[in-house]
Amino acid sequence: MEIFLRSGEYMGVRLKEKRFQLLILIPLRRTWGIIMKKLFFCVLTGCIVLMLAACGGKGNGGSTASSKEYVYKAEEVPIEKEETSRVNDFYMKDGRMYFFSTCWLEEGSQVVVMNSKMDGSDAKSFTIDMKRDSYFSYWNSDEEGNYYAVYDEYLEEGAGEEVYYRDDYYLVKMDSGGKEVWKLPLNSEDQDYWVQWMHLLPDGRIGVADQGGISFYDTDGNPAGHVTPSEDLDGGTYFLQDGTVVVGTYNDTTSQSVLRKLDVNTGEYSGEYVIPGGSGNYSLYAGADCDFLLVGNGGVYSYNLGDEEIKKRMDFIDSDLSTTYIYELYAVSEEEFYGMMDDEMTGEEVIMKFTKVDPKDVADKTVLTLACNYLNWDVRKHVVEFNKTNPDYRIQITEYARYNTDEDGTIGITRLNTDIASGKMPDILLLDYEMPIESYASKGLFEDLYPYIDKDEELNKEDYFPNIMKAFENNGKLYRLAPRFVINTVAGKTADVGDRENWTIQDLKAVMASKPEGMEVFSEMTRGEMLYYSMRMSGDQFIDWESGKCSFNSEDFLSLLEFIKSFPETLPEDYYDESRGEWNSWFRNGTVLLSQMTLDSFSSYNYTKKGTFGEDITLIGFPSGEGKGSVINSELEIAMSAKSGNKDGAWQFMRYFLTDEYQGAMNYGLPVSIKHAEKLAQEAKKRPSYEDENGNIVEYDDTYYIGGEEIPITPMTQEEVDTVFRFIESVDRLYSGNQELFDIVAEEAAPYFEGQKRAEEVADIIENRVQIYVNENR
């Protein structure tokens, strides 16, 4: 996880997982202390759950019963709200739904409070006009129709250098029409205060939890007691339907997230429960026939405190839902629950009713199996659409990453490789860098896809970049379908490196010898990072998988080892000293020679040329013995089993990724379709634009910032577009993602880097070990 400031106006949280990245920006309207304490836990936990939901998550996948058992019908509950408002809270009580939406205005906002019958009818609502920087949260209601909420008003006081900020919190009661009944201050001058939760308890008291414990009030706003729990309440508090209060906490001894029951009357905890697979992989909601409903890992699960495994209730894909996440879940019964999800078309929150479908009512289709380590989002979307529309086939997914644990993130991929080796090959396989892909191909596990393309009346092999297709061939056969790609390369000023497209280590040394002392080859690069990067960019040049011959004891590899050793083990403490200027100015001012670059669009070339370097550049690639230092990288590779009994059905699914529908709509990477790449090139020659509120098209300039200076990025010229096209068509090597190969090199090269062995010695050992590995995997 990375936390950062952007433009001094936002706090950013970026989480990365294999093939997945989540970025959230939070407006800095409050002081750092308040933000970090109030929002850090919520953002971190929420982001992890959302991220794992999208990637498939970890943990016990539950029962392996027929997928027909997990099908639910999803129906949107119609609610009336302003188009510009967003539903930000929702709950159910006594047969009615309560939802709260916010409409942001130029000065302040409006909160709409509404309740209705379960089908959305008999809606009653009122509107509250809000001041700027004021908020309602933790809505509750009683049997008489009164509402209770926490009101937070953010205040700026003083002037000049004496400005300070304060949050004032109040507990508020309103009648059914929104009229304020009473308003009770919760803090006074305490700048380090926030509310952790507020809840209307079964005995009629209102509980408010903060850093000091839990304070109680009656429905007239009078104090009704206070308790200080024996442990803090930072880990989330859950109110079960039978009145039990459960708190998430952490066991330092076992290093596990656990659940414990809390007696709110005494503040004492009891019991300790661990959700199989870890509670951090799920969002928890009170169940109807069970303690909890868990959302995550592609579906909804049930869990009772003390259970040794969770049980699957609903599978999103089996239910033909494109969403990966449902939030604010409320259970009515074992077979019916309500929740919120984001509409795929509009992105707006919608309230949905989910009803279990009798397995006998689920249509019978031929099942195609699709296996993967982590499920790609585009594939997931297409699976849902394919399952909805194809009359004959249905895709069933096994995502092996679900078997991973917090302690071991390799269980899933190990199990997948073991299953394949034992003959359990799926009809369709999403390839992963942690798979021995070359071994699978050489052993005949994959079907050649060229005959299917040739027979397809809508597809033409000549419509796709021939060098990209060829790069994924094995002995002239196309075993892997890579519908989109990026190119990993190295960029430098043409004035420094010339206009050649490739070079060797010796060429790089000659350039560096002509530069001032202290100039770096790459920025922020340690020896370990350089080893990793060099093996990803050039590792495959030392292995011929078709012949099985290795060449790690060659002069080229020895030169590479010597080059890697020249990098520092760690960066100096003063590396980011202000005297060196801002990082993004180093490439312009001669501090750094080269930039690692991912060409994922035409604009990435434009930004690197006009922003990063500010002058003509050459995509020269990583220095290598073969002189080919740019590589094709695809994070979406699909293979068909050569032993599948349903190859026609598998192709019906796979062909979509070569069609105009997909090639013309991808939101990341370069399309393998030449026609659609040309369309992107034409767009890159135009100024970016947007449609304003009046329907007018407004053009603007892309910008790059160095030291607060705004540098406009002009549209690409036809010459620049042609340069990028020629470069794309020149690359024919694949990115080397083989982790086992890297581990061997890293382990055996270490004594050389530490001065304990000569380069020739470690090269011979690496050669022998890799040769054995290659022989075993051909």
Side-chain angles (χ1 to χ4, degrees), residues 5-22:
L5 276 174
R6 174 166 292 179
S7 303
E9 298 176 358
Y10 295 93
M11 177 179 77
V13 179
R14 181 184 287 113
L15 296 104
K16 294 182 179 180
E17 181 67 20
K18 291 182 182 296
R19 308 197 175 197
F20 182 85
Q21 176 170 301
L22 178 65

Side-chain angles (χ1 to χ4, degrees), residues 216-320:
F216 301 99
Y217 305 89
D218 63 23
T219 54
D220 292 324
N222 300 311
H226 179 90
V227 298
T228 302
S230 54
E231 298 179 22
D232 62 46
L233 300 168
D234 289 338
T237 303
Y238 309 94
F239 301 90
L240 306 188
Q241 292 197 8
D242 65 0
T244 302
V245 180
V246 178
V247 176
T249 185
Y250 190 77
N251 187 317
D252 292 322
T253 302
T254 63
S255 299
Q256 287 181 306
S257 295
V258 299
L259 298 175
R260 304 193 68 191
K261 293 181 180 179
L262 170 65
D263 186 333
V264 294
N265 295 309
T266 65
E268 295 298 321
Y269 286 88
S270 63
E272 186 170 286
Y273 311 94
V274 178
I275 295 178
S279 59
N281 301 312
Y282 303 96
S283 287
L284 280 60
Y285 301 96
D289 62 314
C290 57
D291 290 335
F292 287 101
L293 287 180
L294 314 180
V295 180
N297 198 17
V300 178
Y301 302 78
S302 64
Y303 171 72
N304 288 302
L305 295 172
D307 283 353
E308 294 185 0
E309 66 175 23
I310 61 175
K311 297 178 181 178
K312 180 178 277 192
R313 287 284 178 89
M314 172 188 179
D315 186 281
F316 294 152
I317 291 178
D318 290 340
S319 301
D320 294 338

Side-chain angles (χ1 to χ4, degrees), residues 324-386:
T324 61
Y325 196 69
I326 299 172
Y327 46 101
E328 301 301 340
L329 203 63
Y330 284 86
V332 176
S333 67
E334 180 180 358
E335 299 186 347
E336 181 182 334
F337 51 86
Y338 291 72
M340 291 174 61
M341 55 184 271
D342 294 328
D343 184 277
E344 184 179 359
M345 299 300 294
T346 66
E348 295 183 355
E349 305 93 339
V350 291
I351 297 175
M352 305 292 292
K353 174 185 178 182
F354 302 95
T355 309
K356 184 174 177 60
V357 177
D358 192 319
K360 70 178 183 345
D361 294 330
V362 179
D364 288 320
K365 295 182 182 181
T366 300
V367 174
L368 300 172
T369 55
L370 185 153
C372 58
N373 187 17
Y374 292 93
L375 182 58
N376 177 279
W377 173 249
D378 286 353
V379 173
R380 188 191 191 287
K381 286 176 61 179
H382 183 46
V383 166
V384 172
E385 187 61 27
F386 183 86

Side-chain angles (χ1 to χ4, degrees), residues 97 139 178 295 345 406 473 548 668 670 719:
M97 294 191 302
W139 288 93
V295 180
M345 299 300 294
D406 292 335
E473 290 180 3
Y668 175 74
L670 295 164
E719 182 181 0

Side-chain angles (χ1 to χ4, degrees), residues 546-609:
E546 293 187 4
S547 69
K549 180 176 174 56
C550 298
S551 56
F552 284 92
N553 53 2
S554 63
E555 287 299 323
D556 288 335
F557 187 69
L558 292 174
S559 295
L560 180 60
L561 286 178
E562 182 183 356
F563 174 65
I564 295 169
K565 189 176 182 179
S566 68
F567 286 81
E569 216 172 312
T570 59
L571 296 178
E573 289 186 5
D574 62 349
Y575 187 79
Y576 297 102
D577 191 89
E578 292 182 1
S579 62
R580 304 189 74 210
E582 289 194 10
W583 171 85
N584 54 4
S585 70
W586 292 351
F587 304 95
R588 286 176 168 239
N589 65 22
T591 301
V592 178
L593 178 69
L594 304 171
S595 173
Q596 301 169 72
M597 178 182 171
T598 298
L599 185 75
D600 57 12
S601 64
F602 287 85
S603 63
S604 60
Y605 173 88
N606 208 29
Y607 267 90
T608 303
K609 175 181 177 177

